[in-house]
Amino acid sequence: MKIKLFRFSIYCFLLIAKAMNAQVADTIYFQKYATNQRFINVQIEDKNYRFLFDSGAGSTFISEELASTIKFKKTGVLNTYNKEGKRQIFRKGKSLMLKIGKTFLLQPQVLISNELNAPNSTLPKLDGIVSLKTFDNQIISIDLENNLLLIESNQSFSEKKSKMLPVESTFTNGIEGSELNVFLNVSVKEKPLLIKFDTGNNDRVLISKETAKDLNLANDSILQSSTSIKTGDLPFMINYAVAENLTTVSKDLIYDGVFNYSFLSGYTFSIDLMKKKIFLLPF
């Protein structure tokens, strides 16, 4: 009798798991913060907090105030570099469970930032930052135009993927192996480039001064004369299927370039963070 009951329990569990896998994606709604910045609501210990969404942040961050509120245990420091090559040192802690929508996301490591809220700012307080790293081992779709972030099931992603274009991409994990930075492999004037997927970039599309020089957009003396040089409209080719003329600015960067919110909002992107693959759907 016990064996039959056990088998029946297993059978019910498998049916529930199958049904859950077939459910539509978990839908998260972006809310406007400032200019093109968007935030989402995140639950920690059954309380709601406001987290900025920044696909280029590389890690999950919480504010100093939130770390104090939840008595977050600090375990050391992490060294990283921003896009300009400036070294940054953040305190870090171990694991933290986030609930975003209906989905629980265990963060093995969280960084603490004391720069989330500017002094005397009239903007609502931010409690943290979620990045692509926050959704590690998930499949997500980002539709900035309609303010949606979807956490996909295998079934919903399979149905969506058949209508999308694959995008060659590169995933990197930072100097200490704990970040997640995503780049789209593109070409400009037949030169291959890695351009960072960064919804937090509210500037124009950025290219490095070295890239500008290689593309014969400016000579050394012009590039060294200013920290920021307008380099005009450039034809970006993505997988020989999608072409965009994008207005660019050249700056000192450690990457070939950085895409911005404006460009990324023109497409729906699906990112398989398990298999490290990206797909896009043009509007």
PDB file of all heavy atoms in Angstrom, residues 55-61 78-83 86 88 90 109 111 131-134 136 171-183 196 254-255 273 276:
ATOM      1  N   SER A  55      20.988  45.847 -17.809  1.00  0.00           N
ATOM      2  CA  SER A  55      21.567  44.614 -18.370  1.00  0.00           C
ATOM      3  C   SER A  55      23.086  44.660 -18.419  1.00  0.00           C
ATOM      4  O   SER A  55      23.733  43.626 -18.552  1.00  0.00           O
ATOM      5  CB  SER A  55      21.024  44.372 -19.782  1.00  0.00           C
ATOM      6  OG  SER A  55      21.485  45.363 -20.693  1.00  0.00           O
ATOM      7  N   GLY A  56      23.665  45.848 -18.301  1.00  0.00           N
ATOM      8  CA  GLY A  56      25.122  45.947 -18.352  1.00  0.00           C
ATOM      9  C   GLY A  56      25.789  45.987 -16.998  1.00  0.00           C
ATOM     10  O   GLY A  56      27.012  46.124 -16.906  1.00  0.00           O
ATOM     11  N   ALA A  57      25.019  45.848 -15.913  1.00  0.00           N
ATOM     12  CA  ALA A  57      25.585  45.997 -14.564  1.00  0.00           C
ATOM     13  C   ALA A  57      26.520  44.866 -14.181  1.00  0.00           C
ATOM     14  O   ALA A  57      27.400  45.030 -13.333  1.00  0.00           O
ATOM     15  CB  ALA A  57      24.470  46.128 -13.541  1.00  0.00           C
ATOM     16  N   GLY A  58      26.318  43.682 -14.754  1.00  0.00           N
ATOM     17  CA  GLY A  58      27.243  42.578 -14.509  1.00  0.00           C
ATOM     18  C   GLY A  58      26.946  41.738 -13.287  1.00  0.00           C
ATOM     19  O   GLY A  58      27.338  40.573 -13.215  1.00  0.00           O
ATOM     20  N   SER A  59      26.273  42.306 -12.297  1.00  0.00           N
ATOM     21  CA  SER A  59      25.989  41.598 -11.040  1.00  0.00           C
ATOM     22  C   SER A  59      24.656  42.085 -10.478  1.00  0.00           C
ATOM     23  O   SER A  59      24.061  43.028 -10.978  1.00  0.00           O
ATOM     24  CB  SER A  59      27.099  41.850 -10.005  1.00  0.00           C
ATOM     25  OG  SER A  59      28.351  41.388 -10.453  1.00  0.00           O
ATOM     26  N   THR A  60      24.223  41.427  -9.393  1.00  0.00           N
ATOM     27  CA  THR A  60      23.071  41.897  -8.625  1.00  0.00           C
ATOM     28  C   THR A  60      23.581  42.788  -7.493  1.00  0.00           C
ATOM     29  O   THR A  60      24.512  42.408  -6.780  1.00  0.00           O
ATOM     30  CB  THR A  60      22.290  40.713  -8.033  1.00  0.00           C
ATOM     31  OG1 THR A  60      21.864  39.860  -9.095  1.00  0.00           O
ATOM     32  CG2 THR A  60      21.078  41.195  -7.260  1.00  0.00           C
ATOM     33  N   PHE A  61      22.969  43.974  -7.346  1.00  0.00           N
ATOM     34  CA  PHE A  61      23.398  44.927  -6.325  1.00  0.00           C
ATOM     35  C   PHE A  61      22.246  45.226  -5.363  1.00  0.00           C
ATOM     36  O   PHE A  61      21.077  45.209  -5.758  1.00  0.00           O
ATOM     37  CB  PHE A  61      23.823  46.258  -6.960  1.00  0.00           C
ATOM     38  CG  PHE A  61      25.126  46.206  -7.710  1.00  0.00           C
ATOM     39  CD1 PHE A  61      25.172  45.740  -9.019  1.00  0.00           C
ATOM     40  CD2 PHE A  61      26.298  46.642  -7.117  1.00  0.00           C
ATOM     41  CE1 PHE A  61      26.362  45.708  -9.722  1.00  0.00           C
ATOM     42  CE2 PHE A  61      27.498  46.621  -7.811  1.00  0.00           C
ATOM     43  CZ  PHE A  61      27.532  46.147  -9.115  1.00  0.00           C
ATOM     44  N   LEU A  78      34.922  42.648  -3.950  1.00  0.00           N
ATOM     45  CA  LEU A  78      35.082  42.194  -5.326  1.00  0.00           C
ATOM     46  C   LEU A  78      35.641  43.337  -6.158  1.00  0.00           C
ATOM     47  O   LEU A  78      35.187  44.475  -6.055  1.00  0.00           O
ATOM     48  CB  LEU A  78      33.750  41.724  -5.904  1.00  0.00           C
ATOM     49  CG  LEU A  78      33.806  41.210  -7.358  1.00  0.00           C
ATOM     50  CD1 LEU A  78      32.993  39.936  -7.504  1.00  0.00           C
ATOM     51  CD2 LEU A  78      33.289  42.275  -8.336  1.00  0.00           C
ATOM     52  N   ASN A  79      36.634  43.036  -6.987  1.00  0.00           N
ATOM     53  CA  ASN A  79      37.232  44.018  -7.880  1.00  0.00           C
ATOM     54  C   ASN A  79      36.631  43.881  -9.266  1.00  0.00           C
ATOM     55  O   ASN A  79      36.490  42.767  -9.785  1.00  0.00           O
ATOM     56  CB  ASN A  79      38.747  43.802  -7.974  1.00  0.00           C
ATOM     57  CG  ASN A  79      39.445  44.105  -6.661  1.00  0.00           C
ATOM     58  OD1 ASN A  79      39.752  45.251  -6.375  1.00  0.00           O
ATOM     59  ND2 ASN A  79      39.684  43.074  -5.860  1.00  0.00           N
ATOM     60  N   THR A  80      36.292  44.997  -9.850  1.00  0.00           N
ATOM     61  CA  THR A  80      35.767  44.991 -11.209  1.00  0.00           C
ATOM     62  C   THR A  80      36.178  46.281 -11.899  1.00  0.00           C
ATOM     63  O   THR A  80      36.799  47.156 -11.289  1.00  0.00           O
ATOM     64  CB  THR A  80      34.234  44.834 -11.213  1.00  0.00           C
ATOM     65  OG1 THR A  80      33.773  44.719 -12.558  1.00  0.00           O
ATOM     66  CG2 THR A  80      33.563  46.016 -10.544  1.00  0.00           C
ATOM     67  N   TYR A  81      35.837  46.400 -13.183  1.00  0.00           N
ATOM     68  CA  TYR A  81      36.166  47.600 -13.948  1.00  0.00           C
ATOM     69  C   TYR A  81      34.925  48.066 -14.699  1.00  0.00           C
ATOM     70  O   TYR A  81      34.168  47.253 -15.232  1.00  0.00           O
ATOM     71  CB  TYR A  81      37.299  47.335 -14.936  1.00  0.00           C
ATOM     72  CG  TYR A  81      38.638  47.091 -14.273  1.00  0.00           C
ATOM     73  CD1 TYR A  81      39.013  45.820 -13.859  1.00  0.00           C
ATOM     74  CD2 TYR A  81      39.517  48.142 -14.028  1.00  0.00           C
ATOM     75  CE1 TYR A  81      40.223  45.589 -13.230  1.00  0.00           C
ATOM     76  CE2 TYR A  81      40.729  47.930 -13.399  1.00  0.00           C
ATOM     77  CZ  TYR A  81      41.078  46.650 -13.002  1.00  0.00           C
ATOM     78  OH  TYR A  81      42.278  46.432 -12.371  1.00  0.00           O
ATOM     79  N   ASN A  82      34.711  49.384 -14.743  1.00  0.00           N
ATOM     80  CA  ASN A  82      33.599  49.888 -15.525  1.00  0.00           C
ATOM     81  C   ASN A  82      34.005  50.000 -16.995  1.00  0.00           C
ATOM     82  O   ASN A  82      35.140  49.668 -17.354  1.00  0.00           O
ATOM     83  CB  ASN A  82      33.091  51.235 -14.975  1.00  0.00           C
ATOM     84  CG  ASN A  82      34.133  52.347 -15.091  1.00  0.00           C
ATOM     85  OD1 ASN A  82      35.138  52.232 -15.786  1.00  0.00           O
ATOM     86  ND2 ASN A  82      33.871  53.451 -14.406  1.00  0.00           N
ATOM     87  N   LYS A  83      33.093  50.463 -17.841  1.00  0.00           N
ATOM     88  CA  LYS A  83      33.361  50.450 -19.285  1.00  0.00           C
ATOM     89  C   LYS A  83      34.507  51.375 -19.692  1.00  0.00           C
ATOM     90  O   LYS A  83      35.118  51.187 -20.742  1.00  0.00           O
ATOM     91  CB  LYS A  83      32.098  50.811 -20.063  1.00  0.00           C
ATOM     92  CG  LYS A  83      31.508  52.184 -19.811  1.00  0.00           C
ATOM     93  CD  LYS A  83      30.262  52.389 -20.669  1.00  0.00           C
ATOM     94  CE  LYS A  83      29.618  53.751 -20.446  1.00  0.00           C
ATOM     95  NZ  LYS A  83      29.006  53.815 -19.091  1.00  0.00           N
ATOM     96  N   LYS A  86      37.893  52.103 -15.384  1.00  0.00           N
ATOM     97  CA  LYS A  86      38.138  52.541 -14.010  1.00  0.00           C
ATOM     98  C   LYS A  86      37.884  51.390 -13.043  1.00  0.00           C
ATOM     99  O   LYS A  86      36.831  50.755 -13.089  1.00  0.00           O
ATOM    100  CB  LYS A  86      37.238  53.726 -13.669  1.00  0.00           C
ATOM    101  CG  LYS A  86      37.436  54.261 -12.257  1.00  0.00           C
ATOM    102  CD  LYS A  86      36.481  55.411 -11.963  1.00  0.00           C
ATOM    103  CE  LYS A  86      36.628  55.907 -10.531  1.00  0.00           C
ATOM    104  NZ  LYS A  86      35.675  57.011 -10.226  1.00  0.00           N
ATOM    105  N   GLN A  88      36.815  49.440  -9.833  1.00  0.00           N
ATOM    106  CA  GLN A  88      35.786  49.627  -8.821  1.00  0.00           C
ATOM    107  C   GLN A  88      35.884  48.494  -7.804  1.00  0.00           C
ATOM    108  O   GLN A  88      36.106  47.341  -8.177  1.00  0.00           O
ATOM    109  CB  GLN A  88      34.401  49.632  -9.456  1.00  0.00           C
ATOM    110  CG  GLN A  88      34.173  50.775 -10.444  1.00  0.00           C
ATOM    111  CD  GLN A  88      32.818  50.702 -11.116  1.00  0.00           C
ATOM    112  OE1 GLN A  88      32.498  49.699 -11.750  1.00  0.00           O
ATOM    113  NE2 GLN A  88      32.028  51.738 -10.989  1.00  0.00           N
ATOM    114  N   PHE A  90      33.766  46.742  -4.663  1.00  0.00           N
ATOM    115  CA  PHE A  90      32.483  46.641  -3.981  1.00  0.00           C
ATOM    116  C   PHE A  90      32.580  45.609  -2.858  1.00  0.00           C
ATOM    117  O   PHE A  90      33.235  44.573  -3.016  1.00  0.00           O
ATOM    118  CB  PHE A  90      31.372  46.207  -4.937  1.00  0.00           C
ATOM    119  CG  PHE A  90      31.064  47.196  -6.021  1.00  0.00           C
ATOM    120  CD1 PHE A  90      31.550  47.005  -7.302  1.00  0.00           C
ATOM    121  CD2 PHE A  90      30.289  48.317  -5.760  1.00  0.00           C
ATOM    122  CE1 PHE A  90      31.266  47.905  -8.315  1.00  0.00           C
ATOM    123  CE2 PHE A  90      29.998  49.230  -6.764  1.00  0.00           C
ATOM    124  CZ  PHE A  90      30.487  49.024  -8.041  1.00  0.00           C
ATOM    125  N   GLN A 109      25.798  35.371  -5.021  1.00  0.00           N
ATOM    126  CA  GLN A 109      26.626  36.494  -4.572  1.00  0.00           C
ATOM    127  C   GLN A 109      25.933  37.804  -4.913  1.00  0.00           C
ATOM    128  O   GLN A 109      25.377  37.964  -5.991  1.00  0.00           O
ATOM    129  CB  GLN A 109      27.994  36.458  -5.252  1.00  0.00           C
ATOM    130  CG  GLN A 109      28.898  37.626  -4.912  1.00  0.00           C
ATOM    131  CD  GLN A 109      30.233  37.525  -5.600  1.00  0.00           C
ATOM    132  OE1 GLN A 109      31.115  36.804  -5.147  1.00  0.00           O
ATOM    133  NE2 GLN A 109      30.390  38.227  -6.707  1.00  0.00           N
ATOM    134  N   LEU A 111      26.420  42.190  -4.560  1.00  0.00           N
ATOM    135  CA  LEU A 111      27.318  43.307  -4.272  1.00  0.00           C
ATOM    136  C   LEU A 111      26.541  44.441  -3.617  1.00  0.00           C
ATOM    137  O   LEU A 111      25.327  44.581  -3.816  1.00  0.00           O
ATOM    138  CB  LEU A 111      27.988  43.806  -5.545  1.00  0.00           C
ATOM    139  CG  LEU A 111      28.781  42.768  -6.347  1.00  0.00           C
ATOM    140  CD1 LEU A 111      29.469  43.432  -7.534  1.00  0.00           C
ATOM    141  CD2 LEU A 111      29.796  42.054  -5.479  1.00  0.00           C
ATOM    142  N   SER A 131      20.454  42.695 -12.995  1.00  0.00           N
ATOM    143  CA  SER A 131      21.150  42.643 -14.277  1.00  0.00           C
ATOM    144  C   SER A 131      20.847  41.299 -14.925  1.00  0.00           C
ATOM    145  O   SER A 131      20.047  40.507 -14.413  1.00  0.00           O
ATOM    146  CB  SER A 131      22.654  42.807 -14.063  1.00  0.00           C
ATOM    147  OG  SER A 131      23.172  41.673 -13.366  1.00  0.00           O
ATOM    148  N   LEU A 132      21.482  41.017 -16.028  1.00  0.00           N
ATOM    149  CA  LEU A 132      21.314  39.694 -16.641  1.00  0.00           C
ATOM    150  C   LEU A 132      21.814  38.603 -15.706  1.00  0.00           C
ATOM    151  O   LEU A 132      21.289  37.486 -15.701  1.00  0.00           O
ATOM    152  CB  LEU A 132      22.058  39.646 -17.981  1.00  0.00           C
ATOM    153  CG  LEU A 132      21.557  40.609 -19.064  1.00  0.00           C
ATOM    154  CD1 LEU A 132      22.379  40.443 -20.338  1.00  0.00           C
ATOM    155  CD2 LEU A 132      20.081  40.404 -19.344  1.00  0.00           C
ATOM    156  N   LYS A 133      22.823  38.906 -14.905  1.00  0.00           N
ATOM    157  CA  LYS A 133      23.366  37.933 -13.963  1.00  0.00           C
ATOM    158  C   LYS A 133      22.301  37.490 -12.958  1.00  0.00           C
ATOM    159  O   LYS A 133      22.302  36.334 -12.503  1.00  0.00           O
ATOM    160  CB  LYS A 133      24.552  38.549 -13.210  1.00  0.00           C
ATOM    161  CG  LYS A 133      25.202  37.646 -12.170  1.00  0.00           C
ATOM    162  CD  LYS A 133      25.889  36.460 -12.803  1.00  0.00           C
ATOM    163  CE  LYS A 133      26.627  35.631 -11.761  1.00  0.00           C
ATOM    164  NZ  LYS A 133      27.274  34.427 -12.356  1.00  0.00           N
ATOM    165  N   THR A 134      21.380  38.379 -12.625  1.00  0.00           N
ATOM    166  CA  THR A 134      20.303  38.059 -11.680  1.00  0.00           C
ATOM    167  C   THR A 134      19.484  36.867 -12.159  1.00  0.00           C
ATOM    168  O   THR A 134      18.989  36.071 -11.361  1.00  0.00           O
ATOM    169  CB  THR A 134      19.380  39.277 -11.500  1.00  0.00           C
ATOM    170  OG1 THR A 134      20.174  40.421 -11.148  1.00  0.00           O
ATOM    171  CG2 THR A 134      18.334  39.029 -10.433  1.00  0.00           C
ATOM    172  N   ASP A 136      20.501  34.328 -14.038  1.00  0.00           N
ATOM    173  CA  ASP A 136      21.382  33.229 -14.448  1.00  0.00           C
ATOM    174  C   ASP A 136      20.625  31.897 -14.463  1.00  0.00           C
ATOM    175  O   ASP A 136      19.826  31.614 -13.566  1.00  0.00           O
ATOM    176  CB  ASP A 136      22.562  33.134 -13.477  1.00  0.00           C
ATOM    177  CG  ASP A 136      23.846  32.727 -14.173  1.00  0.00           C
ATOM    178  OD1 ASP A 136      23.854  32.622 -15.410  1.00  0.00           O
ATOM    179  OD2 ASP A 136      24.852  32.527 -13.468  1.00  0.00           O
ATOM    180  N   PHE A 171      29.596  35.834 -24.195  1.00  0.00           N
ATOM    181  CA  PHE A 171      29.297  35.994 -22.771  1.00  0.00           C
ATOM    182  C   PHE A 171      30.619  35.954 -22.001  1.00  0.00           C
ATOM    183  O   PHE A 171      31.413  35.028 -22.182  1.00  0.00           O
ATOM    184  CB  PHE A 171      28.389  34.868 -22.282  1.00  0.00           C
ATOM    185  CG  PHE A 171      26.976  34.920 -22.808  1.00  0.00           C
ATOM    186  CD1 PHE A 171      26.701  34.779 -24.166  1.00  0.00           C
ATOM    187  CD2 PHE A 171      25.908  35.100 -21.939  1.00  0.00           C
ATOM    188  CE1 PHE A 171      25.409  34.824 -24.651  1.00  0.00           C
ATOM    189  CE2 PHE A 171      24.599  35.146 -22.414  1.00  0.00           C
ATOM    190  CZ  PHE A 171      24.349  35.009 -23.772  1.00  0.00           C
ATOM    191  N   THR A 172      30.852  36.950 -21.154  1.00  0.00           N
ATOM    192  CA  THR A 172      32.077  36.970 -20.347  1.00  0.00           C
ATOM    193  C   THR A 172      31.715  37.083 -18.869  1.00  0.00           C
ATOM    194  O   THR A 172      30.623  37.541 -18.514  1.00  0.00           O
ATOM    195  CB  THR A 172      32.986  38.150 -20.739  1.00  0.00           C
ATOM    196  OG1 THR A 172      32.331  39.392 -20.430  1.00  0.00           O
ATOM    197  CG2 THR A 172      33.308  38.114 -22.239  1.00  0.00           C
ATOM    198  N   ASN A 173      32.658  36.681 -17.998  1.00  0.00           N
ATOM    199  CA  ASN A 173      32.337  36.629 -16.567  1.00  0.00           C
ATOM    200  C   ASN A 173      33.213  37.511 -15.687  1.00  0.00           C
ATOM    201  O   ASN A 173      33.260  37.336 -14.476  1.00  0.00           O
ATOM    202  CB  ASN A 173      32.374  35.181 -16.064  1.00  0.00           C
ATOM    203  CG  ASN A 173      33.726  34.520 -16.315  1.00  0.00           C
ATOM    204  OD1 ASN A 173      34.705  35.188 -16.638  1.00  0.00           O
ATOM    205  ND2 ASN A 173      33.765  33.205 -16.180  1.00  0.00           N
ATOM    206  N   GLY A 174      33.924  38.488 -16.275  1.00  0.00           N
ATOM    207  CA  GLY A 174      34.672  39.446 -15.465  1.00  0.00           C
ATOM    208  C   GLY A 174      35.989  38.915 -14.943  1.00  0.00           C
ATOM    209  O   GLY A 174      36.310  37.731 -15.075  1.00  0.00           O
ATOM    210  N   ILE A 175      36.747  39.801 -14.308  1.00  0.00           N
ATOM    211  CA  ILE A 175      38.104  39.439 -13.900  1.00  0.00           C
ATOM    212  C   ILE A 175      38.126  38.443 -12.739  1.00  0.00           C
ATOM    213  O   ILE A 175      39.114  37.737 -12.556  1.00  0.00           O
ATOM    214  CB  ILE A 175      38.935  40.691 -13.531  1.00  0.00           C
ATOM    215  CG1 ILE A 175      38.279  41.457 -12.381  1.00  0.00           C
ATOM    216  CG2 ILE A 175      39.131  41.583 -14.724  1.00  0.00           C
ATOM    217  CD1 ILE A 175      39.142  42.592 -11.853  1.00  0.00           C
ATOM    218  N   GLU A 176      37.065  38.383 -11.949  1.00  0.00           N
ATOM    219  CA  GLU A 176      37.029  37.431 -10.841  1.00  0.00           C
ATOM    220  C   GLU A 176      36.071  36.277 -11.105  1.00  0.00           C
ATOM    221  O   GLU A 176      35.816  35.452 -10.223  1.00  0.00           O
ATOM    222  CB  GLU A 176      36.670  38.140  -9.528  1.00  0.00           C
ATOM    223  CG  GLU A 176      37.748  39.128  -9.073  1.00  0.00           C
ATOM    224  CD  GLU A 176      37.570  39.563  -7.635  1.00  0.00           C
ATOM    225  OE1 GLU A 176      36.776  38.931  -6.910  1.00  0.00           O
ATOM    226  OE2 GLU A 176      38.229  40.537  -7.231  1.00  0.00           O
ATOM    227  N   GLY A 177      35.529  36.214 -12.323  1.00  0.00           N
ATOM    228  CA  GLY A 177      34.712  35.074 -12.730  1.00  0.00           C
ATOM    229  C   GLY A 177      33.310  35.024 -12.173  1.00  0.00           C
ATOM    230  O   GLY A 177      32.648  33.991 -12.258  1.00  0.00           O
ATOM    231  N   SER A 178      32.811  36.140 -11.624  1.00  0.00           N
ATOM    232  CA  SER A 178      31.492  36.108 -10.978  1.00  0.00           C
ATOM    233  C   SER A 178      30.507  37.100 -11.582  1.00  0.00           C
ATOM    234  O   SER A 178      29.413  37.265 -11.058  1.00  0.00           O
ATOM    235  CB  SER A 178      31.643  36.401  -9.482  1.00  0.00           C
ATOM    236  OG  SER A 178      32.246  37.663  -9.276  1.00  0.00           O
ATOM    237  N   GLU A 179      30.894  37.757 -12.661  1.00  0.00           N
ATOM    238  CA  GLU A 179      29.985  38.705 -13.312  1.00  0.00           C
ATOM    239  C   GLU A 179      29.360  38.054 -14.542  1.00  0.00           C
ATOM    240  O   GLU A 179      29.658  36.913 -14.883  1.00  0.00           O
ATOM    241  CB  GLU A 179      30.753  39.963 -13.744  1.00  0.00           C
ATOM    242  CG  GLU A 179      31.409  40.727 -12.610  1.00  0.00           C
ATOM    243  CD  GLU A 179      32.258  41.868 -13.135  1.00  0.00           C
ATOM    244  OE1 GLU A 179      31.676  42.830 -13.671  1.00  0.00           O
ATOM    245  OE2 GLU A 179      33.497  41.789 -13.030  1.00  0.00           O
ATOM    246  N   LEU A 180      28.513  38.811 -15.223  1.00  0.00           N
ATOM    247  CA  LEU A 180      27.980  38.374 -16.511  1.00  0.00           C
ATOM    248  C   LEU A 180      27.810  39.593 -17.400  1.00  0.00           C
ATOM    249  O   LEU A 180      26.983  40.468 -17.133  1.00  0.00           O
ATOM    250  CB  LEU A 180      26.637  37.657 -16.364  1.00  0.00           C
ATOM    251  CG  LEU A 180      25.993  37.224 -17.690  1.00  0.00           C
ATOM    252  CD1 LEU A 180      26.897  36.264 -18.449  1.00  0.00           C
ATOM    253  CD2 LEU A 180      24.635  36.585 -17.454  1.00  0.00           C
ATOM    254  N   ASN A 181      28.630  39.652 -18.438  1.00  0.00           N
ATOM    255  CA  ASN A 181      28.536  40.705 -19.441  1.00  0.00           C
ATOM    256  C   ASN A 181      28.265  40.059 -20.783  1.00  0.00           C
ATOM    257  O   ASN A 181      28.907  39.064 -21.144  1.00  0.00           O
ATOM    258  CB  ASN A 181      29.831  41.518 -19.491  1.00  0.00           C
ATOM    259  CG  ASN A 181      30.082  42.273 -18.203  1.00  0.00           C
ATOM    260  OD1 ASN A 181      29.285  43.098 -17.788  1.00  0.00           O
ATOM    261  ND2 ASN A 181      31.199  41.978 -17.542  1.00  0.00           N
ATOM    262  N   VAL A 182      27.312  40.618 -21.528  1.00  0.00           N
ATOM    263  CA  VAL A 182      26.883  40.031 -22.795  1.00  0.00           C
ATOM    264  C   VAL A 182      27.161  41.012 -23.923  1.00  0.00           C
ATOM    265  O   VAL A 182      26.864  42.206 -23.817  1.00  0.00           O
ATOM    266  CB  VAL A 182      25.384  39.682 -22.749  1.00  0.00           C
ATOM    267  CG1 VAL A 182      24.893  39.203 -24.108  1.00  0.00           C
ATOM    268  CG2 VAL A 182      25.128  38.604 -21.692  1.00  0.00           C
ATOM    269  N   PHE A 183      27.739  40.492 -25.008  1.00  0.00           N
ATOM    270  CA  PHE A 183      28.082  41.298 -26.167  1.00  0.00           C
ATOM    271  C   PHE A 183      27.434  40.703 -27.411  1.00  0.00           C
ATOM    272  O   PHE A 183      27.378  39.479 -27.577  1.00  0.00           O
ATOM    273  CB  PHE A 183      29.600  41.327 -26.378  1.00  0.00           C
ATOM    274  CG  PHE A 183      30.366  41.919 -25.221  1.00  0.00           C
ATOM    275  CD1 PHE A 183      30.673  41.150 -24.100  1.00  0.00           C
ATOM    276  CD2 PHE A 183      30.773  43.241 -25.244  1.00  0.00           C
ATOM    277  CE1 PHE A 183      31.367  41.690 -23.030  1.00  0.00           C
ATOM    278  CE2 PHE A 183      31.468  43.790 -24.178  1.00  0.00           C
ATOM    279  CZ  PHE A 183      31.761  43.017 -23.069  1.00  0.00           C
ATOM    280  N   LYS A 196      28.635  45.780 -26.344  1.00  0.00           N
ATOM    281  CA  LYS A 196      27.981  45.360 -25.110  1.00  0.00           C
ATOM    282  C   LYS A 196      26.484  45.632 -25.137  1.00  0.00           C
ATOM    283  O   LYS A 196      26.020  46.671 -25.601  1.00  0.00           O
ATOM    284  CB  LYS A 196      28.611  46.063 -23.912  1.00  0.00           C
ATOM    285  CG  LYS A 196      28.156  45.494 -22.570  1.00  0.00           C
ATOM    286  CD  LYS A 196      28.914  46.108 -21.410  1.00  0.00           C
ATOM    287  CE  LYS A 196      28.502  45.480 -20.089  1.00  0.00           C
ATOM    288  NZ  LYS A 196      29.198  46.062 -18.933  1.00  0.00           N
ATOM    289  N   ILE A 254      36.964  50.093 -22.632  1.00  0.00           N
ATOM    290  CA  ILE A 254      37.717  48.842 -22.643  1.00  0.00           C
ATOM    291  C   ILE A 254      37.059  47.817 -23.559  1.00  0.00           C
ATOM    292  O   ILE A 254      37.578  46.717 -23.735  1.00  0.00           O
ATOM    293  CB  ILE A 254      37.891  48.263 -21.223  1.00  0.00           C
ATOM    294  CG1 ILE A 254      36.524  47.997 -20.578  1.00  0.00           C
ATOM    295  CG2 ILE A 254      38.726  49.195 -20.363  1.00  0.00           C
ATOM    296  CD1 ILE A 254      36.626  47.301 -19.233  1.00  0.00           C
ATOM    297  N   TYR A 255      35.887  48.175 -24.132  1.00  0.00           N
ATOM    298  CA  TYR A 255      35.201  47.319 -25.091  1.00  0.00           C
ATOM    299  C   TYR A 255      35.267  47.962 -26.472  1.00  0.00           C
ATOM    300  O   TYR A 255      35.574  49.146 -26.609  1.00  0.00           O
ATOM    301  CB  TYR A 255      33.718  47.138 -24.723  1.00  0.00           C
ATOM    302  CG  TYR A 255      33.421  46.865 -23.278  1.00  0.00           C
ATOM    303  CD1 TYR A 255      32.538  47.660 -22.568  1.00  0.00           C
ATOM    304  CD2 TYR A 255      34.014  45.792 -22.622  1.00  0.00           C
ATOM    305  CE1 TYR A 255      32.239  47.405 -21.240  1.00  0.00           C
ATOM    306  CE2 TYR A 255      33.728  45.526 -21.293  1.00  0.00           C
ATOM    307  CZ  TYR A 255      32.839  46.341 -20.602  1.00  0.00           C
ATOM    308  OH  TYR A 255      32.558  46.081 -19.293  1.00  0.00           O
ATOM    309  N   LEU A 273      20.131  32.033 -20.930  1.00  0.00           N
ATOM    310  CA  LEU A 273      21.290  32.168 -20.054  1.00  0.00           C
ATOM    311  C   LEU A 273      21.845  30.822 -19.608  1.00  0.00           C
ATOM    312  O   LEU A 273      22.882  30.773 -18.938  1.00  0.00           O
ATOM    313  CB  LEU A 273      20.921  33.023 -18.841  1.00  0.00           C
ATOM    314  CG  LEU A 273      20.633  34.493 -19.193  1.00  0.00           C
ATOM    315  CD1 LEU A 273      19.858  35.177 -18.085  1.00  0.00           C
ATOM    316  CD2 LEU A 273      21.915  35.233 -19.489  1.00  0.00           C
ATOM    317  N   LYS A 276      23.689  30.115 -23.256  1.00  0.00           N
ATOM    318  CA  LYS A 276      24.453  31.283 -23.702  1.00  0.00           C
ATOM    319  C   LYS A 276      24.169  31.600 -25.163  1.00  0.00           C
ATOM    320  O   LYS A 276      25.073  31.685 -25.995  1.00  0.00           O
ATOM    321  CB  LYS A 276      25.965  31.056 -23.473  1.00  0.00           C
ATOM    322  CG  LYS A 276      26.346  30.689 -22.050  1.00  0.00           C
ATOM    323  CD  LYS A 276      26.094  31.849 -21.100  1.00  0.00           C
ATOM    324  CE  LYS A 276      26.652  31.600 -19.714  1.00  0.00           C
ATOM    325  NZ  LYS A 276      25.934  30.588 -18.953  1.00  0.00           N
TER     326      LYS A 276
END
